[in-house]
Amino acid sequence: MYAFTYQRPTTLADAAAAIQAEDAKLLGGGQTLLPTLKQRFARPTDLIDLGAIPELKGIREADGGLEIGAFTRHAEVAHSDLVKRVIPSLASLAEGIGDRQVRNMGTMGGSIANADPSADYPSAVVALKATVTTDRRTITGDDFFTGMFETALEPGEIVKSVRFSRPDKAAYAKFRNPASRYAIVGVFVARFGAEVRVAVTGAAGSVFRAEAFETALAADFRAEALNGLSVEADGLNADIHASADYRAHLVTVMAKRAVEAAG
Amino acid sequence: MANPNGIGASVRRREDQRFLTGRGNYTDDFKRLNMTHAVHVRSPYAHARIMGIDFTDALAMPGVVAVLTGADMEADKVGSLPCGWQIHSKDGSPMKEPPHYPLARDRVRYVGDAVAVVIAETREQARDAAEMVVVDYEEMPAVGSSTRAIAGGAPLVHDDAPDNVCYDWHLGDKAAVDAAFANAAHVAKIDLVNQRLVPNAMEPRAAMGEYDQSTGEYTLTTTSQNPHVTRLLMGAFVLGIPEHKLRVVAPDVGGGFGSKIFHYGEEAVVTWAARKVGRPVKWTADRSESFLTDAHGRDHVSHAELAMDADGNFLALRVSTLANLGAYLSTFAPSIPTYLYATLLAGQYKTPAIYAEVKAVFTNTSPVDAYRGAGRPEACYLIERLVDVAAGVMGMDKTEIRRRNFVPKEAMPYQTPVALQYDTGDFAKNLDIALPLVDYPGFQQRRAESKARGKLRGIGFATYIEACGIAPSNVAGALGARAGLYECAEVRFHPTGSVTVFTGSHSHGQGHETTFAQIVADRFGIPIENVEIVHGDTNKIPFGMGTYGSRSLAVGGSALVKAMDKVERKAKKIAAHMLEAAETDIEVKEGRFTVAGTDKSLGIGDIALQAYVPHNFPLDELEPGLDEQAFYDPKNFTYPNGCHVCEVEIDPDTGVTTIVSFAAVDDFGNVINPLIVEGQVHGGLVQGIGQALYENCVYDEESGQLVTGSYMDYCMPRADDVPSFTVRYHEDQPCTHNPLGVKGCGEAGTIGAAAAVMNAVVDALSEYGVTHMDMPATPEKVWRTIRDAAPAPAMAAE
Ligand SMILES: Cc1cc2nc3c(=O)[nH]c(=O)nc-3n(C[C@H](O)[C@H](O)[C@H](O)COP(=O)(O)OP(=O)(O)OC[C@H]3O[C@@H](n4cnc5c(N)ncnc54)[C@H](O)[C@@H]3O)c2cc1C
């Protein structure tokens, strides 16, 4: 690690001021940022730890859905009785992130701000019609993820909380990378009345909605409704763990499993 | 009453208390006054000429003490890292043995090859400065795989190794094999790759060098499996330091799996640099360096053929293997694909004729050397995959073809056609124990049940035999080892009856501090708490050849028994004197010395006290003291063997393989501590499963870049990837030539498991006409195999 100045503000306003410094970086649970620093891939002058800011914490029921503070650890989401009651699929998604150590440290805000193409939460943000509140504004989940490791956040903008709508039925099915345990393909299926959302993570540069799947499931919410449907392999991610056509295949398999799990 | 902590007791590992509470003392934990930190500047290229090194800016960085390069080492006449084994090619010529300098001189030959070392007050300062060292590289074309190495016109890794060949060796009777093939009724064939693996010890390598100007003594503290050999090799060949001025300490070591047997350049660098800078120098690898520079394992490409008669009796085996040795010869490297591989190709079978050819090549990759099992997993995998193919060719049951060809118990001792002589083994018995454990008759029904759920089920058998207890020195010498491979032990009774044992074996996860103490407690009837096991320090232990090849108990334990014999012989004389009886009248049992037919007796504690306070002692006949040392050179290898059975279920939709059950039946000879043995088997099985399903070290063939350089890409098996194992052993066939009757258990799990898993995977896919799949059986590979199989059979509809 290169040397940096460590700051631990206790209010969002102080954090927002501190992040204005040139080459300052926000620190969430550190599960992505710290390995990057250790490997000397980044050289921030200041690290602004968000862990002591009460406004960024907590899980509340809001408008029938949930509002989750940006500095909520994955393990807290996984084990929260409130989350398990209101949106159980979100709790089980969180339980499937990385390993125990990662879940005990990593945060929701850090995960979505980082926008790793194989992260799990982005699929929930899109499928559960979430809105992301920052220290400046509110961004819809559909507009939040703009590309590989890219979001609608402006420099220095801090994610404050994420508000998820409560679906009638939902489930997340993940095909893990056996090495890293990130998603090679993760499919979040959520049904809100007549509307169905199918959000796919891991497969492409950024989370995307499988519209043909959504249409088919809106008409018939059964796994069989997806028979014969698939996403285009062209342009999907390919690496030593999974080729693009394997990923395309897995999208259909995982979507069916999610529908089955949603019941 | 038998000692509750004696031989055969499942004593919990005494060392675990300190390991589990964070009180172990590992090399990186040692801190010295004025200690400096070393960081290596490593080549980012697989192959390049070093045109110049500019470290002016680096030297000016804060905290930097020195920047040293290969030129400095050359000026100080530092030698090349020696290789411990020599192989001769078919034509009688010695293997190519190019120099391997701790810091590269004019050329780098793999990504991670060290070109300079920066020494600074802190590790971070050394890292900062290492980034400022400017090396002017002229990139050269690279060879990233063994097949590319032998392709015509491939770039040369070493100019004096034509065609990149280190040696082209063979073993066995070619004419006999050719004749048998000519008359064979059936032939089974296979082409397979035994992929490269990264050892991944939990503790990365580390080394700390110290030099004492007042005495001229050097101390190297290092993560080593055999400190004495490191002292010998580094002292005599690399740095020119005589043994009495060089102390090598291997303190607590967090796993090695072979990768810490070898003498590495960093050890020489810190020892040499400590004198140059006049301060202790410590280096600790980070995980990325471990991936790049620990000696890797396996990496074979093989073709094999098995000739059979009309009844499926094996007539002859023909094997041709291409082995990747990496960029330079690591300490044991040449012996692994030869003496530890080809000699095991008989397996458990009485195949009368075997011929093996092994071509070993240099590539622009990390050196390859022994990794848990070392050659024997490669042999087992090849034989057992081929036997399954043979069963297919013959239309025979996979257990039946094995049983038919086993070397029968009655044939022991059995001389194989590939040099080894097995002393004991009852291979049919292993299978007989295994079959009920896995309910073999019920398999077809389980398969049908899986199929009804849309899943594919397979069962796989692997029988293995390994040569352990390395090694009879005269045999090893004849084979080209440049050292003997005996072991040494010293048993020191203290005046009040407690014991310190000094062993040349080294424990880095094996539990010697428990098992060796059990042996002593058992022999002398003393509490295990009164026995201390000391290992890993050349200044304390007379000598040692270290721990690898499942040799600690078979060789080190035997040396311990010999030393205890000497102690007992002397104690008996003392007892006779004290009891005023004839020595021949003294009966000895568990440390109690009794005059036959009387109730007059003494405990070993009384005798020890008299030995050190010799007021009533036969001083004209014996020296005071009770401290004996012994060297033990084994008469033969030991031959652990067993039968592993794996059952898998494959999800054809995703290609994911799940291990449903795994049973291991092993013959390790006599067992000192069943709990530790079981732990060794469990760990070994997981490593074997890791190779079968997950692990794969990938280099880019053209650029020689390591693709799987972190845990994000190199997949290690985890606890939730494996089932609960069924582990059994029997003690019916103890080793006949060592005093404990032990064979060794450290590698067995790794040797049998990969073959058992892959045989199960291929069995599950057999309905698609699959007869072989290379490891690891990743989900995509399995899925693709199913998808591409034509015509696809009718699966349970989805
Ligand atoms: C071994 C391992 C396995 C993993 N497996 C998975 C997995 O299976 N699925 C998965 O989804 N993820 C996985 N992760 C990633 C993990 O979930 C991380 O927690 C996550 O990517 C980053 O969250 P963090 O809180 O640790 O953020 P940090 O690492 O602290 O920060 C990440 C980035 O987000 C920024 N940031 C942090 N908080 C905020 C905020 N409130 N507002 C704006 N910007 C912010 C930081 O500046 C930084 O750029 C894994 C990580 C590891 C190390």
Side-chain angles (χ1 to χ4, degrees):
Chain A
M1 250 182 232
Y2 298 106
F4 54 81
T5 305
Y6 174 76
Q7 302 188 44
R8 193 171 165 85
T10 52
T11 67
L12 190 54
D14 286 351
I19 192 64
Q20 296 314 316
E22 214 188 316
D23 286 334
K25 268 234 158 252
L26 299 170
L27 176 66
Q31 295 305 291
T32 296
L33 189 52
L34 293 185
T36 313
L37 298 186
K38 282 189 183 172
Q39 301 226 47
R40 298 185 161 222
F41 292 153
R43 192 171 199 158
T45 52
D46 296 74
L47 274 199
I48 320 297
D49 186 346
L50 300 176
I53 303 172
E55 298 134 279
L56 298 185
K57 296 186 181 177
I59 304 175
R60 291 169 288 282
E61 221 168 330
D63 303 336
L66 290 172
E67 182 171 13
I68 299 181
F71 203 91
T72 305
R73 316 254 190 205
H74 306 332
E76 293 174 71
V77 175
H79 302 149
S80 155
D81 288 333
L82 183 58
V83 179
K84 285 189 202 164
R85 179 167 57 77
V86 179
I87 315 180
S89 51
L90 189 60
S92 73
L93 174 146
E95 184 67 29
I97 295 176
D99 52 43
R100 197 177 291 256
Q101 287 86 341
V102 168
R103 292 193 294 275
N104 282 337
M105 292 302 292
T107 67
M108 181 174 290
S111 177
I112 65 166
N114 192 52
D116 189 307
S118 48
D120 296 302
Y121 273 134
S123 67
V125 167
V126 170
L128 295 175
K129 301 203 267 189
T131 51
V132 179
T133 305
T134 73
D135 59 335
R136 302 176 194 174
R137 59 188 167 139
T138 295
I139 309 168
T140 67
D142 291 338
D143 296 335
F144 188 80
F145 300 100
T146 54
M148 193 178 273
F149 296 107
E150 279 173 17
T151 67
L153 293 172
E154 291 159 7
E157 190 170 4
I158 303 174
V159 176
K160 198 173 154 219
S161 67
V162 185
R163 197 178 276 229
F164 295 93
S165 315
R166 178 182 193 160
D168 303 327
K169 281 179 174 182
Y172 178 64
K174 171 178 181 177
F175 190 84
R176 300 191 302 197
N177 178 322
S180 73
R181 304 221 161 171
Y182 274 90
I184 280 183
V185 165
V187 181
F188 206 119
V189 174
R191 178 178 176 176
F192 301 87
E195 183 189 358
V196 173
R197 284 195 164 212
V198 177
V200 180
T201 190
S206 181
V207 59
F208 66 90
R209 287 171 63 184
E211 271 113 22
F213 289 30
E214 293 181 348
T215 314
L217 290 171
D220 177 9
F221 196 76
R222 290 183 310 127
E224 289 78 357
L226 299 177
N227 282 349
L229 293 184
S230 61
V231 297
E232 191 55 54
D234 250 13
L236 294 190
N237 299 334
D239 53 34
I240 57 167
H241 303 285
S243 61
D245 58 338
Y246 182 49
R247 277 188 161 90
H249 167 78
L250 287 175
V251 170
T252 305
V253 175
M254 291 298 125
K256 285 182 176 181
R257 289 188 182 177
V259 171
E260 271 160 11
Chain B
M1 201 192 82
N3 194 321
N5 294 316
I7 289 175
S10 282
V11 181
R12 291 197 178 187
R13 302 206 320 177
R14 307 197 297 171
E15 45 272 71
D16 285 349
Q17 179 71 24
R18 73 173 189 277
F19 295 153
L20 295 175
T21 55
R23 289 182 174 81
N25 272 303
Y26 298 90
T27 298
D28 192 54
D29 294 328
F30 288 82
K31 299 196 170 48
R32 297 285 188 258
L33 201 64
N34 283 325
M35 186 172 81
T36 62
H37 297 263
V39 166
H40 287 79
V41 177
R42 298 189 182 277
S43 170
Y45 299 110
H47 201 185
R49 225 168 254 120
I50 303 173
M51 308 306 285
I53 303 176
D54 179 358
F55 50 83
T56 344
D57 292 347
L59 259 183
M61 297 279 287
V64 174
V65 175
V67 180
L68 303 170
T69 67
D72 296 304
M73 284 198 136
E74 192 168 3
D76 283 356
K77 302 201 164 38
V78 172
S80 156
L81 302 170
C83 181
W85 289 75
Q86 192 177 44
I87 302 292
H88 286 85
S89 287
K90 291 171 185 168
D91 63 7
S93 61
M95 68 184 188
K96 292 287 186 296
E97 206 172 345
H100 180 193
Y101 296 112
L103 295 176
R105 297 201 174 159
D106 49 4
R107 224 156 110 183
V108 286
R109 292 187 170 83
Y110 69 99
V111 177
D113 210 353
V115 291
V117 62
V118 177
I119 296 165
E121 301 292 341
T122 71
R123 200 171 165 209
E124 289 302 314
Q125 287 173 332
R127 270 191 89 154
D128 287 344
E131 289 177 1
M132 303 301 288
V133 174
V134 182
V135 184
D136 181 10
Y137 293 105
E138 187 185 281
E139 210 184 337
M140 299 167 70
V143 171
S145 75
S146 59
T147 41
R148 185 167 146 85
I150 55 163
L156 288 187
V157 180
H158 297 278
D159 297 340
D160 49 1
D163 303 326
N164 290 313
V165 174
C166 175
Y167 56 77
D168 186 1
W169 175 90
H170 66 163
L171 178 69
D173 187 340
K174 185 173 189 299
V177 167
D178 289 346
F181 270 91
N183 295 319
H186 303 279
V187 174
K189 297 183 184 184
I190 198 163
D191 285 289
L192 56 80
V193 174
N194 201 299
Q195 85 271 32
R196 180 185 280 243
L197 301 175
V198 182
N200 282 302
M202 202 183 288
E203 179 203 21
R205 287 190 297 117
M208 177 174 69
E210 294 170 82
Y211 178 69
D212 185 334
Q213 287 192 3
S214 58
T215 61
E217 284 173 17
Y218 295 83
T219 304
L220 168 67
T221 306
T222 181
T223 50
S224 176
Q225 298 179 214
N226 57 351
H228 284 87
V229 173
T230 297
R231 183 182 65 171
L232 175 68
L233 296 178
M234 185 176 83
F237 297 94
V238 188
L239 298 180
I241 307 169
E243 274 107 328
H244 67 294
K245 292 291 184 191
L246 175 58
R247 174 184 183 187
V248 177
V249 181
D252 283 333
V253 173
F257 309 116
S259 69
K260 293 173 183 167
I261 304 173
F262 325 119
H263 172 41
Y264 284 93
E266 293 88 352
E267 295 172 321
V269 167
V270 296
T271 309
W272 164 77
R275 178 171 184 177
K276 274 201 110 57
V277 304
R279 296 168 64 180
V281 178
K282 187 200 279 176
W283 165 79
T284 302
D286 57 28
R287 189 53 70 181
S288 307
E289 272 181 300
S290 303
F291 270 101
L292 285 175
T293 68
D294 288 359
H296 294 167
R298 319 274 191 257
D299 207 337
H300 285 193
V301 178
S302 297
H303 173 78
E305 301 180 357
L306 181 64
M308 292 173 283
D309 69 11
D311 300 321
N313 293 305
F314 302 166
L315 302 176
L317 172 67
R318 184 189 276 154
V319 177
S320 147
T321 292
L322 179 64
N324 188 346
L325 298 180
Y328 305 99
L329 293 183
S330 174
T331 315
F332 277 36
S335 69
I336 308 304
T338 48
Y339 299 123
L340 288 171
Y341 164 71
T343 54
L344 271 306
L345 286 169
Q348 298 193 348
Y349 309 111
K350 54 183 198 282
T351 317
I354 298 176
Y355 179 69
E357 293 175 291
V358 178
K359 188 181 274 188
V361 296
F362 294 108
T363 58
N364 294 112
T365 62
S366 173
V368 179
D369 205 324
Y371 167 63
R372 199 173 191 174
R376 289 150 295 169
E378 296 91 311
C380 173
Y381 180 68
L382 180 135
I383 302 161
E384 293 301 298
R385 280 270 52 249
L386 183 56
V387 168
D388 263 23
V389 172
V393 168
M394 297 301 302
M396 277 175 79
D397 178 87
K398 285 165 187 151
T399 63
E400 252 344 284
I401 193 165
R402 287 181 164 83
R403 206 183 277 281
R404 174 161 307 177
N405 287 284
F406 280 156
V407 174
K409 176 173 80 167
E410 300 69 34
M412 298 290 170
Y414 173 76
Q415 177 63 51
T416 74
V418 274
L420 298 177
Q421 191 185 79
Y422 302 160
D423 62 341
T424 55
D426 185 348
F427 309 139
K429 176 171 186 134
N430 300 335
L431 184 59
D432 289 340
I433 297 174
L435 290 179
L437 291 177
V438 301
D439 179 22
Y440 188 44
F443 173 72
Q444 290 308 336
Q445 194 187 333
R446 295 194 293 283
R447 172 175 263 179
E449 281 161 12
S450 293
K451 186 148 193 166
R453 284 184 285 107
K455 302 287 193 318
L456 307 165
R457 206 174 181 101
I459 192 165
F461 293 83
T463 71
Y464 74 90
I465 186 161
E466 46 171 336
C468 293
I470 298 173
S473 291
N474 50 0
V475 177
L479 293 177
R482 287 164 170 167
L485 291 158
Y486 49 82
E487 198 46 83
C488 174
E490 181 176 339
V491 174
R492 180 180 300 165
F493 263 88
H494 300 293
T496 60
S498 65
V499 181
T500 304
V501 172
F502 301 88
T503 172
S505 293
H506 184 273
S507 185
H508 34 274
Q510 295 86 349
H512 293 18
E513 291 170 37
T514 305
T515 32
F516 280 39
Q518 282 179 258
I519 295 168
V520 176
D522 190 89
R523 177 71 177 265
F524 294 115
I526 57 179
I528 196 168
E529 298 75 30
N530 291 4
V531 186
E532 193 66 28
I533 307 298
V534 175
H535 60 96
D537 185 339
T538 60
N539 268 20
K540 293 180 181 166
I541 293 130
F543 205 74
M545 295 306 296
T547 286
Y548 41 83
S550 307
R551 70 190 302 273
S552 291
L553 194 57
V555 190
S558 298
L560 173 58
V561 171
K562 271 189 79 177
M564 291 194 300
D565 290 345
K566 289 187 183 176
V567 165
E568 195 175 275
R569 274 205 294 279
K570 182 169 180 182
K572 198 170 169 185
K573 288 195 164 73
I574 303 169
H577 178 86
M578 291 171 72
L579 294 166
E580 296 176 341
E583 198 190 321
T584 47
D585 288 342
I586 303 288
E587 289 174 346
V588 190
K589 200 177 169 222
E590 289 174 25
R592 194 109 304 265
F593 296 73
T594 309
V595 182
T598 75
D599 59 358
K600 282 184 13 180
S601 75
L602 286 171
I604 186 78
D606 306 314
I607 297 167
L609 183 62
Q610 196 55 233
Y612 287 96
V613 188
H615 294 163
N616 175 18
F617 193 86
L619 284 167
D620 45 352
E621 189 193 330
L622 292 177
E623 296 166 12
L626 196 55
D627 184 350
E628 297 288 345
Q629 181 184 314
F631 280 71
Y632 172 83
D633 200 291
K635 294 182 194 67
N636 188 356
F637 295 90
T638 61
Y639 297 97
N641 59 86
C643 174
H644 292 184
V645 192
C646 175
E647 204 164 308
V648 300
E649 194 174 75
I650 290 175
D651 176 351
D653 291 338
T654 58
V656 170
T657 299
T658 306
I659 298 180
V660 186
S661 71
F662 199 107
V665 176
D666 298 293
D667 164 11
F668 298 135
N670 293 332
V671 166
I672 307 295
N673 183 323
L675 187 67
I676 289 181
V677 164
E678 203 171 321
Q680 290 287 312
V681 174
H682 279 224
L685 293 180
V686 177
Q687 273 175 314
I689 290 169
Q691 174 164 27
L693 297 183
Y694 306 109
E695 300 184 44
N696 193 11
C697 176
V698 180
Y699 277 93
D700 185 88
E701 264 207 308
E702 305 253 318
S703 71
Q705 290 293 330
L706 178 61
V707 178
T708 50
S710 86
Y711 293 125
M712 299 304 273
D713 290 316
Y714 188 91
C715 185
M716 292 289 284
R718 324 233 177 135
D720 62 355
D721 290 322
V722 295
S724 191
F725 300 120
T726 304
V727 174
R728 297 281 187 281
Y729 63 85
H730 70 78
E731 295 176 289
D732 282 7
Q733 302 288 320
C735 172
T736 54
H737 56 80
N738 65 42
L740 291 165
V742 296
K743 297 183 175 179
C745 71
E747 298 161 292
T750 323
I751 295 172
V757 174
M758 289 311 295
N759 280 347
V761 168
V762 172
D763 184 51
L765 299 175
S766 57
E767 59 180 276
Y768 294 92
V770 175
T771 55
H772 178 67
M773 173 180 286
D774 277 329
M775 300 184 287
T778 59
E780 173 157 12
K781 200 186 283 178
V782 172
W783 170 74
R784 201 168 283 286
T785 302
I786 294 171
R787 191 197 62 176
D788 296 347
M795 281 291 306
E798 217 198 346

